[in-house]
Amino acid sequence: MRMYDLIHKKKNGGALTNEEIGFMIKAYVDGDIPDYQMSAMLMAIYFQGMTPEETASLTLAMARSGDVIDLSAIEGFKVDKHSTGGVGDKTTLVIGPIVAACGCKVAKMSGRGLGHTGGTLDKLEAIPGLKIDISKDDFTDIVNNVGLSVVGQTGNLAPADKMLYALRDVTATVDSIPLIASSIMSKKLAAGSNGIVLDVKTGSGAFMKTVDKSIELARRMVEIGEHAGVRTIAIITDMDIPLGNNIGNSLEVIEAVETLKGQGPKDLTDLCISLAANMVYMSGKASLKECEELVRDSLYSGKALDKLIEMVSAQRGDSSVILDPDKFEKAPYSHEVKAPRDGYISHMDAEKCGIASMLLGAGRETKDSILDYAAGIVLKKKTGHKVSKGDVLGVLHASSKDLFERAEKTLLDAYSFTDDEVNLRPLVLAKVDIDGVVKY
Ligand code: URA
């Protein structure tokens, strides 16, 4: 087989066979196919697309290119959740404990944030002492005993995806639906759970800017998961507005804890209940409606908060900060950003809010940036709110006053105003599963 012939076939709109895709991925990982040929292939895929069969073959070839995690030593239904990335998205910290309190097992590998989106690992590391690089045996024991553990992705999970993602990043081929779907699902399938709930974000802070594109991506991912024998449901959710009020690592842990105490912001709470109910439903425990009741009970009874405390202790973190979030280290400086006019907030650019938080030190500009866990933004007003000139839109937190100027400008740029009242679209916009698409 020659890579040249495969590029030629794809360029002309042909469908690659399972064998051809398997050959291409293995040879690329082994260093036998150079980047320039793989770049040409990615661009051909970008323009010609891939059939569902090709996308499934590509996903499985990438999933099998490295470690495939064996979770068989963990008893019960193992359920995973993936978010396509957003701003202020601390759902894993809320949903994991809820689902574990409902009797499912969450053996989760998470990643770090880059650019305007945050990563669960960075948020977890804001908890003093918490270890995210524990041994496989400890991970298994914690999931068996507590029901939940969140750790860093092993270095060798889907290495083909890591190589291809880096190449896509520099060849303008990231935003291709079959390539995104196979990239996300290769890591999820290699991580070994029995069920996956995908939170596919749509809007200004997301990869996919429109609901239709998000549904298309969700359909592809559901097809791939079910084809591989893993129950998969995707929920399409709004990311035009940052989720919750806090952006930044410690600030997001604090908000997650408030939510687990039943005192979180409504948007975050509602989304967590919806995603968690679908995760429990997948395990076959009860109907979706009954699962929602189970989820509400585990949240409002405090059982889910207890699970987070147990997990933090098991991973050697200081659980006293969860009991008393005031103990989190605070940023030494804060600065209020004020509304420049009277009116209603008509739109927020979630990506710009994420960038403002990154400029304060909460996110990474490059892979090697050092994070300031205490830095970030607490939003006081969001889309739909009525404001008067001078009202506080958000409070910036940072280690130096010098960081405020650029962050303030970026945050103000994220807000648009109007004189008329604003109707908000629902947070959960659609659901995609093996039976099809339901729009809300
Ligand atoms: N996240 C991934 O893991 N891969 C993509 O291609 C896009 C988002």
Side-chain angles (χ1 to χ4, degrees), residues 333-338 392 394-398 404-405 408:
Y333 298 101
S334 61
H335 175 76
E336 292 180 342
V337 176
K338 298 192 174 156
V392 177
V395 182
L396 311 181
H397 297 271
F404 289 142
E405 194 181 332
E408 175 169 29

Side-chain angles (χ1 to χ4, degrees), residues 10-11 13 40-50 171-173 176 178-179:
K10 183 75 322 229
K11 179 185 76 177
M41 175 59 86
L42 290 171
M43 194 55 84
I45 292 173
Y46 183 89
F47 283 112
Q48 295 292 356
M50 284 186 127
T171 55
T173 50
S176 145
L179 294 179

Side-chain angles (χ1 to χ4, degrees), residues 56 62 64 77 83 100 157 164 197 222 233 235 267 375 418 440:
M62 292 200 295
R64 291 171 186 151
F77 190 84
S83 155
L157 200 78
L164 282 179
V197 170
V222 168
I233 294 177
I235 311 288
D267 59 349
T418 173
Y440 300 113

Side-chain angles (χ1 to χ4, degrees), residues 170-208:
V170 292
T171 55
T173 50
V174 168
D175 56 337
S176 145
I177 285 183
L179 294 179
I180 296 176
S182 53
S183 164
I184 291 174
M185 292 304 288
S186 65
K187 288 169 287 207
K188 290 286 113 184
L189 295 181
S193 283
N194 308 112
I196 305 168
V197 170
L198 299 160
D199 178 7
V200 180
K201 305 283 189 194
T202 194
S204 62
F207 254 105
M208 296 286 132

Side-chain angles (χ1 to χ4, degrees), residues 287-320:
S287 71
L288 184 58
K289 209 165 166 20
E290 288 161 336
C291 289
E292 206 175 298
E293 284 312 310
L294 285 172
V295 160
R296 283 182 195 281
D297 175 63
S298 93
L299 176 62
Y300 292 112
S301 64
K303 287 183 218 153
L305 181 65
D306 290 345
K307 282 288 167 206
L308 179 64
I309 293 169
E310 278 181 61
M311 185 200 94
V312 168
S313 300
Q315 292 186 212
R316 285 176 258 154
D318 176 2
S319 58
S320 74

Side-chain angles (χ1 to χ4, degrees), residues 39-217:
S39 302
M41 175 59 86
L42 290 171
M43 194 55 84
I45 292 173
Y46 183 89
F47 283 112
Q48 295 292 356
M50 284 186 127
T51 64
E53 291 73 27
E54 285 179 289
T55 315
S57 296
L58 176 60
T59 310
L60 289 177
M62 292 200 295
R64 291 171 186 151
S65 67
D67 297 342
V68 175
I69 311 296
D70 177 7
L71 297 181
S72 57
I74 296 171
E75 300 129 29
F77 190 84
K78 279 111 1 191
V79 62
D80 199 353
K81 174 235 143 202
H82 178 81
S83 155
T84 58
V87 177
D89 185 351
K90 64 283 290 173
T91 51
T92 295
L93 302 178
V94 181
I95 293 169
I98 293 178
V99 171
C102 290
C104 294
K105 296 289 165 57
V106 182
K108 186 151 180 55
M109 299 196 174
S110 281
R112 298 193 182 283
L114 183 63
H116 74 280
T117 61
T120 302
L121 279 193
D122 299 324
K123 293 168 206 182
L124 282 173
E125 282 183 331
I127 300 171
L130 190 131
K131 298 270 169 289
I132 47 94
D133 54 348
I134 53 182
S135 71
K136 185 173 183 291
D137 287 350
D138 285 350
F139 179 57
T140 304
D141 286 348
I142 296 171
V143 182
N144 270 330
N145 297 330
V146 177
L148 162 74
S149 181
V150 184
V151 295
Q153 218 161 270
T154 83
N156 201 32
L157 200 78
D161 172 63
K162 206 170 282 167
M163 292 169 70
L164 282 179
Y165 193 89
L167 202 54
R168 286 165 58 206
D169 212 16
V170 292
T171 55
T173 50
V174 168
D175 56 337
S176 145
I177 285 183
L179 294 179
I180 296 176
S182 53
S183 164
I184 291 174
M185 292 304 288
S186 65
K187 288 169 287 207
K188 290 286 113 184
L189 295 181
S193 283
N194 308 112
I196 305 168
V197 170
L198 299 160
D199 178 7
V200 180
K201 305 283 189 194
T202 194
S204 62
F207 254 105
M208 296 286 132
K209 307 287 180 202
T210 67
V211 176
D212 285 345
K213 282 271 173 216
S214 304
I215 288 178
E216 206 182 318
L217 174 64

